[in-house]
Amino acid sequence: MRRLLPCLTLACFVATNAFAHHSTAMFDMSKTVTVQGTIDAFEWTNPHSWIWLNVPNASGGVDRYGIEGMSPNYLSRVGWSRKALKPGDKVSIDINPLRHGRKGGLCVPLTLADGQTTQRSRPAPPR
């Protein structure tokens, strides 16, 4: 688990100029929202991975959030695999929300059920 946290840190960061090959225009980069829920799916897809999170809502139901992460190529270089997050895992994720108001956003830090938290500042790229 301790090896996974640095990988989660790298996977869940806001795109910066170094990774600006895709636009972040759809995200409200001036806001950060925390969502807590259960992993429904972790998609190891190009050009970006996706975390599908079931988040309890005020009416007793569940909202499904789509949260964008880093590319599988990048994630594999820092030690991730397609099995890094499993359905049923409980997490808390800070996101930059979608501008149009739908349930989703861009992953910033992520906190696991055991309380371990990824860092907010982007570490140096892997060697």
Side-chain angles (χ1 to χ4, degrees):
M1 183 60 82
R2 290 181 191 230
R3 288 185 73 191
L4 179 62
L5 283 177
C7 297
L8 289 173
T9 300
L10 292 170
C12 293
F13 286 101
V14 179
T16 62
N17 290 335
F19 299 99
H21 63 281
H22 295 277
S23 173
T24 57
M26 70 174 113
F27 305 108
D28 186 343
M29 304 302 281
S30 69
K31 293 181 184 173
T32 302
V33 176
T34 301
V35 290
Q36 297 177 348
T38 305
I39 299 291
D40 182 46
F42 175 53
E43 293 181 1
W44 190 260
T45 56
N46 281 309
H48 292 276
S49 61
W50 285 88
I51 298 169
W52 294 97
L53 189 68
N54 291 328
V55 178
N57 61 33
S59 61
V62 173
D63 294 326
R64 189 170 193 235
Y65 278 66
I67 302 169
E68 184 175 333
M70 299 298 284
S71 73
N73 179 36
Y74 182 81
L75 294 175
S76 65
R77 287 185 286 141
V78 296
W80 273 57
S81 76
R82 64 181 66 245
K83 297 179 183 179
L85 296 172
K86 295 176 239 25
D89 286 352
K90 303 261 186 225
V91 296
S92 176
I93 304 176
D94 287 351
I95 61 171
N96 297 116
L98 290 165
R99 287 188 186 276
H100 55 58
R102 288 192 177 144
K103 307 292 184 196
L106 182 64
C107 185
V108 186
L110 182 144
T111 303
L112 301 171
D114 63 6
Q116 295 184 37
T117 305
T118 62
Q119 300 172 10
R120 284 188 175 271
S121 58
R122 188 173 62 81
R127 295 179 188 180

